Amino acid sequence: MTKSAKAENALELRDLSVAYRVAGRNRAVLRNLSLNIGQGEAYGLVGESGCGKSTVALTVVRYLPRNGSITGGAISLDGQDVMKLDAEALRRARAESVSMVYQDPGKALNPSIRVGRQLTEIFELGGITGKAVEDRAVAMLNRVRISDPTSVMQRYPHQLSGGMQQRVAIAMALANDPSMLILDEPTTGLDATVEAEVLDLIAQLRQELSASILFISHNLAVVSNMCDRVGVLYAGMLVEEGPTEVVFNDPRHPYTVALLRCLPRGGQRKDQGRLDTIPGFLPGIGVDIKGCAFADRCALADDRCRSELPPLYDLGGRLSRCFYHEKAQALPRATPSDVAPAPKAAAVPVLRVAGLNKTYSSHGHALRAVKDVSLDLRPGETLGLVGESGSGKTTFARLLLGLVPPDDGGTIVLEGKALAPRLENRSDDQIKAMQIVFQNPDSALNRSHSIRHLIGRALKRLAGLSGKALEARLNDLVRSVRLTDRHLAVKPRQLSGGLKQRVAIARAFAGDPRIVVCDEPTSALDVSVQAAILNLLADLQSKEDVSYIFISHDLAVVRYLSDKIAVLYLGRIMELGPSEDVFSGPHHPYTEALLSAVPKLDQTETARIRLDGEIPSATNPPSGCVFHTRCPRKIGAICEQQEPPLSEAQPGHSIRCHIPYEELARLQKEVVTEPA
Amino acid sequence: MSAVQTTSPTPDDTRKRGPLAEVLLSLLRSGTFLTGFAIVMFWVACALFGEHFAPYDPLADDIINALAPPSAEHWFGTDQIGRDVFSRVIVGSRDILTVAPLATLLATVAGTALGLLTGYFRGLVDDVVSRILEAFMAIPVVIVALLAIVALGTSKTTVIVVIGLSFAPIIARTVRSAVLAERELDYVAAAQLRHESAAHTMFVEILPNVIPPILVETTVRLGYAIFAVATLSFMGFGIQPPSPDWGLSISNNYGMIGGGFWWTVLFDALAIASLVIGVNLAADGVHGALND
């Protein structure tokens, strides 16, 4: 592309306002948003869901949904006024100078067209023909580090893993050498190991390409690793902006301060203090905001904040929209940090699992989803289950609950009594003793029923209550998960994600359970809401002495809540031990790789261990140690031939690896992996 | 401080309305639905009060005026024994508007029960019941009707049962696929973890969530049922004389078209067409409102 002279900024938004028309009324989503992205710069946009991040991305190329309109301001792309472009010029701009990569690569690719065809199409539109098209496509796939491009081009999107799909989507976005690349949550649906891969790729491509990047993410750590500058968006307004490191290490807006405090960091644990939360809710879309948008949730706010919109103060290379930006970090905690001392876990386990297996049959092949899992859980203890998707975490949880019957032979013993493999054959006391909080409350709560019915029914069935007693217990329960009476009459869809998850937690606790399985309970939630839910779970645990089996892909969250960790890979326990030992190491090479993949806010540049390739198919697991195909510390033929036993390296800490514990300790000392 | 109220857990005031109110509102905004609904209501009014505003007794013959063409006196002309066609068309909606909705209701109730059963239990129950339903669907309605008439005799009840049972498998199939999708949701697992009975899970947990597709399928089936009733009447298996039923009238008079007496058939045919179109428009509107 030959452009006479590059404009100073790749993208300039000037006083941009965008509204969505809902029920006959224009509702403001973006309010006088101004920002610049320099040539070759990577700019991160962060904020909670509903604050307008994705709207910014769509507005840049005027790609708003039908009910959306730009109500004011200017957009300039490489010096070109986007608002003045006619349909054809706009089409060209979208085709040639701006590219987007979305969250879900599975939806961005056409499922019925081969990957190669989808790629070559872009070059053909650009006027290239014949053999050259094919070559360009191969070159593009090489560029996104796909090792055998010709075979990938023959495949359909569903035949590729999530990481591969996202690489292809990135290749397509880069095909026309765009000057502006918009990445909207590009790694959100991916496993940590795959996320690390994709982020590395984007970082490498930045060196090779001239493109400027607008990187949108709710994940502060990802943005802090990827971007030069960051803007914090709240209720459609920029509240803080500046160089990434400066903003995250020295935030000058109470919202940024509060957001950073919600994250469990630096190996924080539940017994060391509660996470801070942000009280209240994001203002609804389109409400009139007189003063500072954050004033209602800000402990520093006074009358001035509520009546007068603060300007964007220029603090020398950085901006903050707060009257009290110099004392923003003095923001009082919304949640006291003190915690009640956790009761000492009793020695007698509440749950003993021995030799649990689950084999599915898939097209005539045996698929071993869970293989020979044995572990104990004591009262009041949390067991964290970690591993990539497909490692068998959820299947294991479903086996425990009886939703899926295990293979013959294994035993599950709850409070000294063996549990029947099937739910139907378990006693009422046994089912109420083990309940679950599902990942997605929209799926877990029946949308036809009111909150009162949902919790009331659980109390009736699990606690055997009725009439006055039920009513009294219902009120207690609702209050213990910090809901109020006015939430009872509504249906789930009228509640926010965090409130729905509280209802699900209340329901799980209805029958005074001994064990609650939490299957990614916070992964669909914003960080401030996640913090509140984690605090709630920790409080309920210390009050009720309940045990948790906590599944999450977010290692910092697992570490915060767990006393004990089991690392799963292809249905096998690779490492099992006390949380602190597993995280601080020496640990199994797989654990080491998982920990190293997590993007961290407090980044000290460390050599990272990358896992190549994908988790192998469980229908045809590798011989010997199942991890040997991806293991960065493979020692030789023994790894391919013999499956190592899960041997106790330290009291209570077992590792399934041929490398002796002392050797692991020595190897891992060389690379100091910063804990999550 | 106006912003405080907005930070309630229901930040978006469009969500305050219940789902039912939202559907009704969107129906009232749909031109398609309103048009269809108006047509259907017109015929319902004719069925209920037709007698009172029809100019003549639909059954009264007037042999001297037989086969008179449309005129100011007889807007739609008269038939071969001199009955007023206009009055007959108006009152003729009564039987079809009783039989078709009742048949559809029977089909919906039976189909929903079968669909819930097959979709919830899956496996062997599903295989067996579904194969039987498929076999049933393969027999043409007319043959079922013939057999039923032989067995039960001609009556409105026979027509209702025949059409109801012929349509039930189709509704069952729609309900089954909706139930299969619902069954995968975690609230069903949560019900199992409370040891709920299968009946409770099917009817209290799942059924309310599959009402929208059932409603759509029912309205669509109603259009087909009207068509089927008219067809059966035309063939002599349905509504019996002396009812001024449209299908029956066409059957009695279609021989006259050759003689140029088109008005004895055309208006009944248009009546059937308009009712079917009206129901289908309304069904379209319902579909649109529920799938927004």
Side-chain angles (χ1 to χ4, degrees), chain A residues 428 443 446-448 457 461, chain B residues 182 186 195-196 205 209:
Chain A
D428 284 355
S443 166
N446 193 333
R447 58 193 183 280
S448 297
R457 184 76 195 172
R461 299 291 305 177
Chain B
E182 287 295 321
D186 291 333
H195 270 183
E196 300 283 9
E205 300 284 341
N209 294 317

Side-chain angles (χ1 to χ4, degrees), chain A residues 22-23 27 281 284 287-288 296 306 398 401 403 423-424 426-428 431 434-436 438 443-449 457-458 461-462 486-487 493-496 499 507, chain B residues 1-4 6-19 22 29 182 184-190 192-197 200 204-206 208-210:
Chain A
V22 182
R27 288 156 202 270
F281 299 89
V287 298
D288 284 331
D296 296 325
R306 292 186 190 101
R398 289 186 168 253
L401 290 162
L403 291 168
L423 195 53
E424 303 90 275
R426 295 187 182 175
S427 73
D428 284 355
I431 58 155
M434 192 154 34
Q435 288 287 314
I436 180 169
F438 291 101
S443 166
L445 303 177
N446 193 333
R447 58 193 183 280
S448 297
H449 295 161
R457 184 76 195 172
R461 299 291 305 177
L462 298 176
R486 69 200 165 100
H487 296 127
R493 69 194 216 116
Q494 288 161 282
L495 298 180
S496 67
L499 293 175
R507 186 173 66 176
Chain B
M1 216 175 61
S2 65
V4 166
T6 63
T7 57
S8 72
T10 51
D12 192 350
D13 61 358
T14 55
R15 288 212 238 152
K16 276 180 193 155
R17 277 182 225 114
E22 254 173 55
R29 289 202 188 117
E182 287 295 321
E184 294 305 313
L185 296 181
D186 291 333
Y187 72 80
V188 177
Q192 289 170 344
L193 284 168
R194 296 197 302 267
H195 270 183
E196 300 283 9
S197 67
H200 175 94
V204 183
E205 300 284 341
I206 297 178
N209 294 317
V210 296

Side-chain angles (χ1 to χ4, degrees), chain B residues 23-107:
Chain B
V23 168
L24 286 178
L25 207 70
S26 113
L27 279 180
L28 289 177
R29 289 202 188 117
S30 150
T32 314
F33 174 79
L34 290 179
T35 313
F37 187 70
I39 297 174
V40 175
M41 278 303 118
F42 169 75
W43 288 118
V44 169
C46 288
L48 291 174
F49 313 111
E51 294 171 317
H52 304 294
F53 60 81
Y56 298 91
D57 178 349
L59 301 180
D61 52 31
D62 180 5
I63 212 76
I64 303 162
N65 268 326
L67 292 172
S71 65
E73 240 171 286
H74 297 283
W75 290 357
F76 291 177
T78 60
D79 68 5
Q80 42 188 327
I81 50 170
R83 294 177 295 200
D84 181 46
V85 175
F86 180 63
S87 304
R88 288 178 64 79
V89 168
I90 285 178
V91 181
S93 60
R94 180 175 296 169
D95 284 326
I96 202 165
L97 276 179
T98 343
V99 173
L102 284 176
T104 312
L105 185 69
L106 174 66

Side-chain angles (χ1 to χ4, degrees), chain A residues 167-358:
Chain A
R167 279 159 193 261
V168 171
I170 292 172
M172 287 170 72
L174 296 176
N176 280 326
D177 199 11
S179 55
M180 178 90 219
L181 184 61
I182 300 175
L183 303 165
D184 190 355
E185 305 265 9
T187 58
T188 299
L190 306 174
D191 265 319
T193 50
V194 183
E195 173 177 60
E197 239 178 86
V198 172
L199 292 178
D200 279 356
L201 172 67
I202 296 171
Q204 286 165 4
L205 289 171
R206 270 197 68 195
Q207 316 289 323
E208 300 166 15
L209 301 170
S210 55
S212 316
I213 293 177
L214 172 60
F215 196 108
I216 293 170
S217 182
H218 70 285
N219 189 327
L220 305 183
V222 167
V223 168
S224 88
N225 288 357
M226 298 300 297
C227 298
D228 307 315
R229 280 196 308 141
V230 61
V232 182
L233 207 57
Y234 186 80
M237 274 188 261
L238 207 56
V239 293
E240 180 160 10
E241 183 186 75
T244 311
E245 225 160 279
V246 178
V247 170
F248 287 149
N249 291 328
D250 180 23
R252 290 299 175 83
H253 192 282
Y255 178 59
T256 321
V257 173
L259 213 51
L260 286 162
R261 280 193 199 157
C262 292
L263 294 167
R265 290 165 74 180
Q268 192 182 348
R269 282 201 336 259
K270 63 185 170 188
D271 51 0
Q272 292 168 337
R274 267 185 278 198
L275 298 168
D276 202 4
T277 55
I278 307 181
F281 299 89
L282 198 71
I285 287 175
V287 298
D288 284 331
I289 298 173
K290 268 241 288 301
C292 170
F294 189 61
D296 296 325
R297 306 173 70 183
C298 178
L300 292 174
D302 58 17
D303 287 344
R304 186 177 172 208
C305 299
R306 292 186 190 101
S307 55
E308 194 186 326
L309 178 70
L312 264 176
Y313 290 97
D314 189 340
L315 313 174
R318 58 184 305 193
L319 305 166
S320 166
R321 195 185 285 280
C322 180
F323 291 122
Y324 305 110
H325 50 83
E326 71 284 352
K327 62 170 189 184
Q329 286 170 39
L331 179 80
R333 284 183 62 102
T335 308
S337 107
D338 56 301
V339 286
K344 253 283 128 298
V348 184
V350 60
L351 180 77
R352 308 193 84 130
V353 177
L356 205 61
N357 285 287
K358 177 66 195 176

Side-chain angles (χ1 to χ4, degrees), chain A residues 312-535:
Chain A
L312 264 176
Y313 290 97
D314 189 340
L315 313 174
R318 58 184 305 193
L319 305 166
S320 166
R321 195 185 285 280
C322 180
F323 291 122
Y324 305 110
H325 50 83
E326 71 284 352
K327 62 170 189 184
Q329 286 170 39
L331 179 80
R333 284 183 62 102
T335 308
S337 107
D338 56 301
V339 286
K344 253 283 128 298
V348 184
V350 60
L351 180 77
R352 308 193 84 130
V353 177
L356 205 61
N357 285 287
K358 177 66 195 176
T359 313
Y360 289 105
S361 120
S362 152
H363 304 290
H365 295 281
L367 188 158
R368 309 206 66 173
V370 170
K371 184 161 184 279
D372 198 21
V373 169
S374 305
L375 46 81
D376 289 352
L377 185 63
R378 285 180 297 179
E381 194 177 53
T382 303
L383 169 72
L385 288 183
V386 300
E388 293 164 281
S389 32
S391 58
K393 305 186 296 285
T394 298
T395 306
F396 175 67
R398 289 186 168 253
L399 291 180
L400 291 184
L401 290 162
L403 291 168
V404 181
D407 297 349
D408 293 338
T411 55
I412 307 170
V413 177
L414 179 74
E415 295 188 303
K417 289 202 190 76
L419 284 182
R422 282 174 186 280
L423 195 53
E424 303 90 275
N425 306 330
R426 295 187 182 175
S427 73
D428 284 355
D429 278 342
Q430 287 171 334
I431 58 155
K432 78 176 193 190
M434 192 154 34
Q435 288 287 314
I436 180 169
V437 178
F438 291 101
Q439 173 173 8
N440 179 358
D442 291 319
S443 166
L445 303 177
N446 193 333
R447 58 193 183 280
S448 297
H449 295 161
S450 68
I451 304 305
R452 179 185 294 280
H453 178 98
L454 289 168
I455 301 177
R457 184 76 195 172
L459 283 170
K460 186 168 177 218
R461 299 291 305 177
L462 298 176
L465 296 174
S466 60
K468 280 247 167 56
L470 188 146
E471 202 62 24
R473 179 80 182 102
L474 181 80
N475 284 323
D476 282 355
L477 196 56
V478 161
R479 248 169 279 295
S480 70
V481 297
R482 324 251 192 293
L483 289 170
T484 58
D485 290 341
R486 69 200 165 100
H487 296 127
L488 287 176
V490 302
K491 300 267 170 74
R493 69 194 216 116
Q494 288 161 282
L495 298 180
S496 67
L499 293 175
K500 277 186 265 199
Q501 206 56 294
R502 284 167 195 269
V503 174
I505 292 171
R507 186 173 66 176
F509 275 88
D512 294 317
R514 303 303 309 135
I515 298 170
V516 174
V517 175
C518 304
D519 187 359
E520 304 257 13
T522 62
S523 68
L525 306 175
D526 276 314
V527 287
S528 66
V529 184
Q530 165 175 296
I533 296 288
L534 293 178
N535 284 342

